[in-house]
Amino acid sequence: MDILLIIVAFIVLIIGLIGDILPGIPGTPVTYLALLILHWTDKISYSAQFLVVTGLIAAAITVLDYVVPVWGTKKFGGTKAGARGSTIGLIVSVIVLPLLGIVIGPFGIIGLLGGPFVGAYIAEKNAGHDDTLAWRSAFGSFLGFLTGTLMKIAYTLVIGFFMVKDIVMLAFN
């Protein structure tokens, strides 16, 4: 049974990594689930403190993933309209792209990366702001989105490191 759980944990970890990049899959919570599955084996066990800390980090990253693009928009001089547009663009890209079946390949990535960017730009233009402000706002949104994605990937790689380390230790004992 342990071997099956280890295999399932790695499959879930890979799905989490894919979800870090593509819309429709909550990558960080899925990665945490992979850690929990490995914890449910008879041979590998994590402390309650480790599970709580990694769970809290997963929750924080999940929240920050939605907040950071808005913060990036504001940091680069965007207005509330740009921040709202960035959020709407992100939500639309996360919901619409999977519904259209465009989640892989260059169009899925471009659409996902472009959602917050285009949303912030359109919102700033609709609010009557000039092109310079609209472009800066959109660029800030893009950087915020990219930062959120890198946080998710870093979390998955760290959790993956702990999982591989513990499985290798198990194999040599």
Side-chain angles (χ1 to χ4, degrees):
M1 186 65 166
D2 279 356
I3 292 174
L4 178 62
L5 286 173
I6 290 170
I7 291 169
V8 169
F10 268 101
I11 291 170
V12 171
L13 180 70
I14 298 300
I15 292 169
L17 184 59
I18 292 168
D20 290 343
I21 300 166
L22 299 178
I25 303 170
T28 305
V30 170
T31 297
Y32 183 69
L33 177 63
L35 183 69
L36 290 178
I37 291 170
L38 195 61
H39 175 71
W40 292 331
T41 64
D42 292 331
K43 306 265 193 255
I44 297 173
S45 179
Y46 297 105
S47 71
Q49 181 181 5
F50 179 77
L51 292 174
V52 168
V53 168
T54 55
L56 289 173
I57 292 170
I61 288 173
T62 301
V63 169
L64 284 172
D65 188 41
Y66 293 99
V67 172
V68 171
V70 175
W71 177 81
T73 301
K74 289 182 179 180
K75 192 73 174 165
F76 275 77
T79 64
K80 287 183 181 182
R84 278 188 232 120
S86 172
T87 302
I88 292 168
L90 177 62
I91 291 169
V92 167
S93 68
V94 167
I95 293 172
V96 171
L97 291 177
L99 291 177
L100 295 175
I102 306 173
V103 293
I104 59 174
F107 296 112
I109 298 296
I110 291 168
L112 180 62
L113 294 176
F117 183 89
V118 171
Y121 180 82
I122 290 172
E124 292 290 0
K125 290 303 286 179
N126 282 342
H129 297 112
D130 65 3
D131 273 342
T132 304
L133 178 63
W135 284 114
R136 280 193 355 215
S137 177
F139 183 70
S141 173
F142 174 74
L143 285 181
F145 175 77
L146 196 58
T147 301
T149 300
L150 292 176
M151 283 189 309
K152 293 185 297 186
I153 291 171
Y155 178 83
T156 298
L157 292 177
V158 168
I159 295 299
F161 167 78
F162 281 110
M163 290 173 61
V164 168
K165 175 189 68 86
D166 291 336
I167 291 170
V168 168
M169 300 265 301
L170 176 66
F172 286 109
N173 285 332

